[in-house]
Every structure is written in C-alpha cells, then in structure tokens.
Amino acid sequence: MKDLLWRLIIIATAGVFWIFFFIKEIPFDTTSFLSLEEKEMVAWQRAWMQINSGRTNHLKTFKHMQKNSGPLKNANSHIVIGAPPVEKKLLTIGMSSVPRPRGSYLLDTLQSLFFASSSSEQKHFIVLVHLADPDPKWLDQMSANISTLFKPYIHARQLVVINTPIKSYLSLKDLKKNLKDTPAYVAFRSKQSMDYAFLMNFATNHSDYFLMIADDVKCAPGFVTQIATTVSAWENKHWVTLEFSQLGFIGKLFHTRDLPRFVHFLLLFHQEMPCDCLLSHFHDLMQQTPIQFLPSLFQHMGNYSSFEGKFNSLKDKEFKENDVGSPSNPAASIYTSLKVANDSVLMNSYSLDENFFYAKSAEAGSHLTVVLDISAKVFQVQVLTGSDLKDKNQLKEGQLELGYDSTNRVNDCDDYILLGLLVNGILNKQVLSNKSGKKVKCVRLLVTATSPSGIIVRHINLWTE
C-alpha cells in the first residue's frame, strides 16, 4: 500500500513540474494579443490537456479553468469606421469578411440586413463588421464603399467596422495537420477562427446579445423582432446559443457574457478544426443539445467560398422565401369577449373570403381567440384590422399570442407565448418554433388598451404545414 501511495505522489509531482516547465519555457509569442496572465492560463490548459487524454476530459478541464474568463486585454482590434453606441443595445450583429477571389458579398449582406429591419428595430442593435485582412488596398476600397453606401447608419452609430493587425494573430506556420486538410486550408480555417475570436472579443461590452452571421447571407424581414420575441420567451431558461439557421456559423445567438469563454475556446483550439465544428464541441461542455428555431431567418446567398474561390452553393432548406402562398386556416372554433355588433358574424374574422367581423368597442383585456380543432404546426400568422379607409376602425393597441396546451379547457389554452404587437392595426409574422416544439392549439388576439370606437377584424390568417 505504501509503495502505491509513493508512486502516485511521484507521478503527481512530475505532472506539476512538467506543467510549470511548459509555462516558463514554452510561452506564447511575445507579440501576440495575450497578456502574461492569459499566456500562462492557456499554457496551463494545453499542459493539462496533454496529461488528461480524451476529449471529454479536455472539455471538462477547459470549463473548470474558464469560470472567470474575461475579454482579451491586449487585443489590438481598432475601429476603422463609425463609433460604438453611447448606450448598451439589445443586440450586436457581427460578421467577419476577407477578400474573395470571385467578388465580395459583404455590401449585399449589409443592404439586406438594414432593409429587412424597420427603423424602430434598428434602434435596438448595432452591426459590427470585422474586415479581417491586412491588404491595405482592399481595406481602403471596402471601407470607402461601406462609408458611401451606409452613411446614415454610420452617423446613427448603428454600423461599426473594425480591423485587427496581422501581428496580433498567432503564427500560421507549422500548424497541426488533421482531418486530411491541405496545409493551405488548415491555415485558412485557423485564421478564420481567430478572425471570429477578435470580432466577438470586441463585441463583448456593447449589447446584451451577440448574433453571428456570415458576410454572404440574406435576412428574413423582421428578423430582429423575431429574435427579440424568442429571447423573451427563453428568458428564464438555460441556453448558451440559440440557432436561427441550420448552416455552419450563421444565425447563432449568444449572451455577450458568454463570449469571453468562446473566444478563449476558439483561440485555444484554432488549429484543430473549422470554427463551426469548434462550436459543436463547445456545446458539449456548455449546452450539449442544440436549440434550433424554424423557419431559418438567414439564407446563404454566396456561390463561391472565400477560400480559393471554390464553388459553394449551400442553401438552408428551412429558410422561407417571402412568397408563402395562400393561408390555410384549418378548421377551428372562434370565441370572443368583445362587444359584438348586431348581425356581425364572429366566424367572418377567420374566413378566407372578403367578409369581416365588427365589434362595437374593445376594452383592455378583451380577446378574440381561434381554437383549432386539431393542433397544427403554424409557420406564419397575419392579422388585418380596420376598414379600407385610412386608420378607420383599427385595433390601435393589441398583441397576438399563441397557445400550445389546452389540457382542461374547451375554448381556451393554458399557456400563451407572445408572437408580436399589432402596428397600425396589422401583424404579419413568421412563427419561430423549436425543432422539437409543440403544435399550436390557440391563436389569441388580445386588446391591450381600451378602444371606445368600434373595431373591424378583417382577417386572422394562418399558414400551417
């Protein structure tokens, strides 16, 4: 027994000495972005991962050592265009861009992003672009193009462009060869992971949430409100990333408080595998099960990769184009607490013809509820109130909610989740449902402020699968 104990002590002592030697004798390049404290921390991580074999142990070790991770202290990323917002925003939308042999999609992506969001939505986010290439000619040209085309957003502090000097990057020489990748591709994807790390590191303090997209995507209209609504519904649930696209690194939402951990993770394993695979492994220790919402809010629109201009026509099958066809309005019963006008037919609010439903008045808290005969997967909802005359008989203040359970009720549901608010008497929204989520049973139009004049409900339309 004593012999065994002494052997364990000798092994432990040797391991600690080896780690100490690793830290002191094999530090990071002194020109890197890491402070001395950060270099020692990363050295400890790498040393421990040599001692503890197996990916599970590696991830557990990383999780333990990253409990108090903060932003990189010596990162040299600097602003090229714009200025950060004065007040903290809800969302930072980030993308990294490098030159493409067959032409850039960045300007089209920025245009899609701003066109797909309303002026009120734009008050709640900033766009952060990392021009991640040292070529001064490309930097100057791209900066000039962005400055010319997006001047209003720059002046409104809604668009910020940054660059990180190449001297801040870890060396791309003598990288580990794995996954049967060529040395050129290993260098490309290793730098790409660092590009994203610097982008996220800069974004840490400007908003509550960070959304990662690519520089070659198209955005669904109203995507900001869709994300904000989803975040609100998941406020009291544990999550590390929410996924609004099924493709790679596109449409991944983080709490900004979690970004420092992921930044360190990307830098620590930058040469191991592509960044989207690193994100998958990051989930293994932080979240495990992906949380995906459908339909996707972003579509890959590029045809050529930023790596050597290779053809890449990857598309997200869950992205719905604007043309969703005609509503289906499955069989349902309609209930209301509104004051119904004489001879007005309640079912007209849900019919697909040109009839309408008229209520004499609407008090706060009153409702019109559609209860489906059979629960269905609803992917879009439209509500139209008011007459053809401008601003006449609209429901000025109301919201649309979806119910998923009706265990003990015939004409109502137990729980509701907010889908969105009516604007000028109208709502037209996609429904983001968890991939394994429940089907919709109830659709409730709720009055949020008393309307003494009559209201007209022309249509409550549902698109179902």
Side-chain angles (χ1 to χ4, degrees):
M1 185 68 182
K2 289 183 178 180
D3 291 341
L4 177 60
L5 180 60
W6 275 109
R7 287 179 183 178
L8 292 175
I9 292 173
I10 292 171
I11 292 172
T13 303
V16 171
F17 175 79
W18 189 80
I19 295 171
F20 180 81
F21 176 82
F22 190 102
I23 293 172
K24 297 301 181 182
E25 299 300 326
I26 316 177
F28 271 64
D29 186 324
T30 54
T31 62
S32 81
F33 46 83
L34 298 176
S35 66
L36 178 60
E37 179 184 352
E38 290 164 339
K39 293 173 187 177
E40 292 187 354
M41 179 193 67
V42 173
W44 269 96
Q45 292 167 341
R46 287 185 166 178
W48 267 108
M49 290 175 188
Q50 292 293 329
I51 294 172
N52 297 299
S53 61
R55 182 170 60 85
T56 302
N57 285 335
H58 292 182
L59 296 175
K60 287 181 178 178
T61 300
F62 174 82
K63 186 175 182 179
H64 174 73
M65 292 182 172
Q66 294 295 312
K67 285 182 179 179
N68 298 311
S69 287
L72 299 175
K73 297 175 183 177
N74 295 336
N76 294 318
S77 303
H78 61 277
I79 294 176
V80 178
I81 300 173
V86 176
E87 296 180 354
K88 199 171 188 179
K89 300 291 186 178
L90 173 71
L91 181 66
T92 298
I93 303 170
M95 66 192 82
S96 181
S97 188
V98 296
R100 293 175 182 258
R102 293 177 178 265
S104 173
Y105 303 99
L106 175 60
L107 300 178
D108 291 335
T109 296
L110 289 173
Q111 188 174 55
S112 172
L113 193 158
F114 286 115
F115 281 13
S117 54
S118 66
S119 57
S120 59
E121 288 175 320
Q122 290 166 11
K123 295 177 183 178
H124 299 288
F125 70 80
I126 66 166
V127 179
L128 180 62
V129 179
H130 184 200
L131 296 182
D133 193 88
D135 181 8
K137 184 177 180 180
W138 177 79
L139 281 173
D140 290 345
Q141 184 62 59
M142 190 58 71
S143 298
N145 291 341
I146 293 173
S147 297
T148 300
L149 294 174
F150 302 98
K151 185 180 297 183
Y153 305 105
I154 295 169
H155 289 169
R157 292 180 176 242
Q158 294 169 347
L159 175 59
V160 177
V161 179
I162 64 171
N163 173 255
T164 306
I166 196 66
K167 66 180 182 180
S168 295
Y169 285 72
L170 299 173
S171 174
L172 295 175
K173 296 180 180 179
D174 301 320
L175 296 173
K176 183 185 296 184
K177 297 178 182 179
N178 50 20
L179 303 178
K180 297 182 180 180
D181 291 333
T182 64
Y185 185 66
V186 172
F188 167 80
R189 60 173 172 77
S190 296
K191 180 182 177 297
Q192 187 178 59
S193 291
M194 289 188 277
D195 294 342
Y196 289 144
F198 286 122
L199 170 69
M200 293 180 173
N201 184 71
F202 193 92
T204 302
N205 298 317
H206 299 305
S207 61
D208 296 322
Y209 301 97
F210 175 83
L211 176 71
M212 186 73 213
I213 65 173
D215 67 343
D216 57 349
V217 300
K218 178 170 64 174
C219 307
F223 73 94
V224 175
T225 299
Q226 301 275 26
I227 290 174
T229 303
T230 303
V231 165
S232 178
W234 279 73
E235 185 176 5
N236 297 319
K237 300 178 182 179
H238 170 73
W239 59 272
V240 176
T241 61
L242 300 181
E243 303 186 13
F244 297 93
S245 171
Q246 295 195 319
L247 301 180
F249 228 43
I250 299 172
K252 305 303 184 282
L253 185 76
F254 299 79
H255 294 277
T256 50
R257 65 172 182 260
D258 291 331
L259 290 181
R261 284 188 178 185
F262 191 47
V263 166
H264 282 87
F265 191 83
L266 286 173
L267 295 174
L268 186 60
F269 299 110
H270 69 282
Q271 60 179 303
E272 300 294 335
M273 61 190 69
C275 51
D276 53 336
C277 296
L278 289 177
L279 177 60
S280 177
H281 289 304
F282 188 70
H283 279 156
D284 286 350
L285 69 114
M286 303 302 295
Q287 180 176 293
Q288 297 175 348
T289 304
I291 303 172
Q292 297 179 338
F293 294 89
L294 305 176
S296 297
L297 296 181
F298 307 95
Q299 179 63 285
H300 180 255
M301 66 178 179
N303 289 321
Y304 295 96
S305 167
S306 51
F307 175 66
E308 297 182 348
K310 291 188 176 180
F311 183 74
N312 178 15
S313 60
L314 192 63
K315 297 295 180 184
D316 190 331
K317 296 179 181 179
E318 297 297 337
F319 182 85
K320 302 291 185 182
E321 298 292 344
N322 290 340
D323 183 12
V324 294
S326 301
S328 52
N329 286 16
S333 299
I334 317 296
Y335 303 90
T336 189
S337 59
L338 297 168
K339 294 181 180 179
V340 183
N342 294 337
D343 300 325
S344 186
V345 179
L346 183 58
M347 184 56 74
N348 286 346
S349 63
Y350 189 63
S351 66
L352 294 174
D353 55 30
E354 294 304 315
N355 293 321
F356 60 84
F357 165 71
Y358 179 67
K360 295 179 181 179
S361 62
E363 295 183 359
S366 57
H367 69 92
L368 190 158
T369 302
V370 178
V371 181
L372 301 181
D373 291 355
I374 301 175
S375 298
K377 187 173 181 180
V378 179
F379 65 85
Q380 185 151 334
V381 178
Q382 180 188 61
V383 176
L384 302 175
T385 71
S387 67
D388 292 334
L389 298 175
K390 187 177 181 181
D391 297 333
K392 191 74 173 177
N393 298 118
Q394 290 180 347
L395 176 57
K396 297 290 187 180
E397 296 187 56
Q399 64 188 42
L400 201 286
E401 303 170 336
L402 301 180
Y404 293 87
D405 296 301
S406 58
T407 309
N408 301 313
R409 305 187 186 192
V410 176
N411 60 353
D412 202 359
C413 285
D414 298 327
D415 298 300
Y416 285 89
I417 293 177
L418 176 67
L419 177 64
L421 306 179
L422 273 68
V423 178
N424 297 324
I426 295 173
L427 176 141
N428 194 359
K429 281 195 174 298
Q430 290 181 318
V431 178
L432 297 183
S433 59
N434 190 297
K435 200 171 185 180
S436 58
K438 299 177 182 178
K439 295 180 178 180
V440 172
K441 179 65 176 177
C442 303
V443 178
R444 182 168 71 182
L445 178 61
L446 185 68
V447 179
T448 54
T450 298
S451 175
S453 59
I455 64 168
I456 290 175
V457 181
R458 287 187 287 151
H459 293 292
I460 297 179
N461 290 330
L462 309 181
W463 284 259
T464 61
E465 294 183 356

